[in-house]
Amino acid sequence: MRTIVSRLIRFKSSFAQTRFVSASYGGGGRYLSTDSNKIDEPFDAEEAETVHVPPPPTEKLLVLGGNGFVGSHVCKEALDRGLSVSSLSRSGKSSLQESWASRVTWHQGNLLSSDSLKDALDGVTSVISCVGGFGSNSYMYKINGTANINAIRAASEKGVKRFVYISAADFGLANYLLSGYYEGKRAAETELLTRFAYGGIVLRPGFIYGTRSVGSMKIPLGVFGSPMEMVLQQAKPLNQLPLVGPLFTPPVNVESVAKVAVRAATDPVFPPGIVDVHGIQRYSQQKSR
């Protein structure tokens, strides 16, 4: 009797295995689901692995006044960051005989003319303005104020996302001696922060030092600018003195200004608003995102 029962058990076990194999591999290669009443379709590994990810949008930066002292450093910094860079200025192409200059698209134009920016703004995602100058009060207001206001309005109408304006720190009594200069700067700042409430950044450096090129001659302003920066950084409380306090604003390296300007123009989390010289120094020491 035991022999008969043992044979029956082995028979049932063998029969169950045969049914499982048949259900697993029969019917055109379908697989048995964990649900006893459901049979799944085969998993197509080739389809699952094909994922089409769109390439990241290209950042195109327009530098206004890109062939000047600050503007040329901004162009170089942006190219080093892998951006597509173009520049607009009254003289057009830069006279600098440096390799990076050939990688910039140069436009000639005058910001006091409303038509100058139309072509230069095509496809641009961010703008950095380094436009400014000295002269009579009326001329300084026109160059520092009106020209930049025109650029800000044109960029806003073109749908540019971010706009960075290189302005200037207050120097107390100097503001009255150069009233057209500072009134123009502040008017441009107001326009920028109104038009670009979420993407407008104003940088207010003091004296900017570095190596300036004047024709074939190079002037190393860092010889005294760098030591002054180190000393005046430690004298920050002196900035609070009435009348003369702003005269203790530390100088800043042109490369630091360029680095922060490009970051502000391309980093969507860079906060909008006014960045003073101490903020420029702080941001320049941080790693770029």
Side-chain angles (χ1 to χ4, degrees):
M1 183 68 180
R2 284 181 182 175
T3 304
I4 295 172
V5 171
S6 176
R7 288 177 178 176
L8 285 172
I9 290 172
R10 286 198 299 272
F11 174 76
K12 288 182 178 181
S13 176
S14 175
F15 179 73
Q17 290 177 4
T18 303
R19 290 186 60 190
F20 177 79
V21 171
S22 175
S24 298
Y25 295 102
R30 293 185 297 175
Y31 303 97
L32 185 66
S33 168
T34 52
D35 185 342
S36 59
N37 296 319
K38 179 182 177 183
I39 296 177
D40 292 340
E41 293 298 324
F43 180 76
D44 191 339
E46 186 177 350
E47 287 185 9
E49 292 172 358
T50 305
V51 179
H52 298 286
V53 180
T58 301
E59 293 282 354
K60 185 177 180 182
L61 173 68
L62 173 64
V63 181
L64 303 177
N67 55 6
F69 173 52
V70 177
S72 60
H73 282 82
V74 169
C75 288
K76 187 177 183 300
E77 173 68 21
L79 289 169
D80 290 343
R81 292 279 300 274
L83 303 177
S84 172
V85 181
S86 59
S87 173
L88 182 140
S89 61
R90 285 179 295 178
S91 57
K93 189 173 182 178
S94 174
S95 59
L96 294 173
Q97 301 299 317
E98 298 185 27
S99 58
W100 62 263
S102 62
R103 295 157 54 199
V104 176
T105 301
W106 300 98
H107 300 274
Q108 186 173 11
N110 187 342
L111 293 182
L112 295 174
S113 170
S114 58
D115 294 332
S116 288
L117 274 165
K118 286 184 178 179
D119 294 336
L121 281 170
D122 285 343
V124 167
T125 54
S126 54
V127 175
I128 299 175
S129 177
C130 309
V131 173
F134 295 94
S136 67
N137 279 325
S138 60
Y139 176 81
M140 287 191 291
Y141 186 91
K142 191 180 295 185
I143 294 299
N144 295 283
T146 307
N148 283 296
I149 290 170
N150 289 346
I152 292 163
R153 290 175 178 173
S156 175
E157 292 167 3
K158 271 281 193 175
V160 171
K161 297 177 183 177
R162 301 179 73 80
F163 196 115
V164 179
Y165 175 44
I166 311 295
S167 187
D170 286 319
F171 275 100
L173 293 173
N175 290 26
Y176 296 98
L177 299 175
L178 300 169
S179 59
Y181 179 86
Y182 281 98
E183 288 173 7
K185 291 282 190 187
R186 300 301 173 251
E189 290 180 6
T190 301
E191 185 71 21
L192 174 61
L193 298 179
T194 301
R195 293 266 182 169
F196 289 85
Y198 301 103
I201 299 94
V202 175
L203 301 187
R204 284 185 178 177
F207 171 70
I208 302 175
Y209 68 87
T211 302
R212 283 181 178 265
S213 296
V214 180
S216 59
M217 184 172 60
K218 294 185 180 295
I219 305 174
L221 299 178
V223 171
F224 59 89
S226 182
M228 283 178 61
E229 180 180 17
M230 293 177 64
V231 171
L232 292 177
Q233 275 181 331
Q234 307 305 318
K236 190 175 179 180
L238 295 176
N239 286 142
Q240 308 306 316
L241 293 174
L243 298 178
V244 297
L247 297 176
F248 292 96
T249 300
V252 63
N253 192 314
V254 66
E255 293 181 357
S256 296
V257 176
K259 181 179 180 181
V260 177
V262 173
R263 178 182 169 186
T266 57
D267 185 351
V269 301
F270 195 101
I274 297 172
V275 183
D276 65 10
V277 64
H278 300 289
I280 293 170
Q281 291 170 331
R282 185 174 64 254
Y283 280 118
S284 69
Q285 294 166 2
Q286 297 176 356
K287 289 185 178 180
S288 300
R289 293 178 179 271

PDB file of all heavy atoms in Angstrom, residues 162 205 274:
ATOM      1  N   ARG A 162      17.667  87.066 -18.706  1.00  0.00           N
ATOM      2  CA  ARG A 162      18.451  87.697 -17.641  1.00  0.00           C
ATOM      3  C   ARG A 162      19.290  88.841 -18.200  1.00  0.00           C
ATOM      4  O   ARG A 162      19.784  88.765 -19.332  1.00  0.00           O
ATOM      5  CB  ARG A 162      19.346  86.663 -16.937  1.00  0.00           C
ATOM      6  CG  ARG A 162      18.564  85.516 -16.309  1.00  0.00           C
ATOM      7  CD  ARG A 162      19.479  84.503 -15.635  1.00  0.00           C
ATOM      8  NE  ARG A 162      20.045  85.007 -14.398  1.00  0.00           N
ATOM      9  CZ  ARG A 162      19.399  85.028 -13.230  1.00  0.00           C
ATOM     10  NH1 ARG A 162      18.156  84.594 -13.151  1.00  0.00           N
ATOM     11  NH2 ARG A 162      19.994  85.473 -12.144  1.00  0.00           N
ATOM     12  N   PRO A 205      30.752  97.545  -8.567  1.00  0.00           N
ATOM     13  CA  PRO A 205      32.147  97.534  -8.141  1.00  0.00           C
ATOM     14  C   PRO A 205      32.646  98.950  -7.898  1.00  0.00           C
ATOM     15  O   PRO A 205      32.047  99.919  -8.384  1.00  0.00           O
ATOM     16  CB  PRO A 205      32.867  96.901  -9.331  1.00  0.00           C
ATOM     17  CG  PRO A 205      32.020  97.299 -10.509  1.00  0.00           C
ATOM     18  CD  PRO A 205      30.597  97.308 -10.010  1.00  0.00           C
ATOM     19  N   ILE A 274      20.780  94.149  -6.338  1.00  0.00           N
ATOM     20  CA  ILE A 274      22.045  94.887  -6.363  1.00  0.00           C
ATOM     21  C   ILE A 274      23.117  94.128  -5.590  1.00  0.00           C
ATOM     22  O   ILE A 274      22.888  93.682  -4.458  1.00  0.00           O
ATOM     23  CB  ILE A 274      21.859  96.296  -5.771  1.00  0.00           C
ATOM     24  CG1 ILE A 274      20.861  97.102  -6.630  1.00  0.00           C
ATOM     25  CG2 ILE A 274      23.188  97.030  -5.675  1.00  0.00           C
ATOM     26  CD1 ILE A 274      20.451  98.434  -6.029  1.00  0.00           C
TER      27      ILE A 274
END
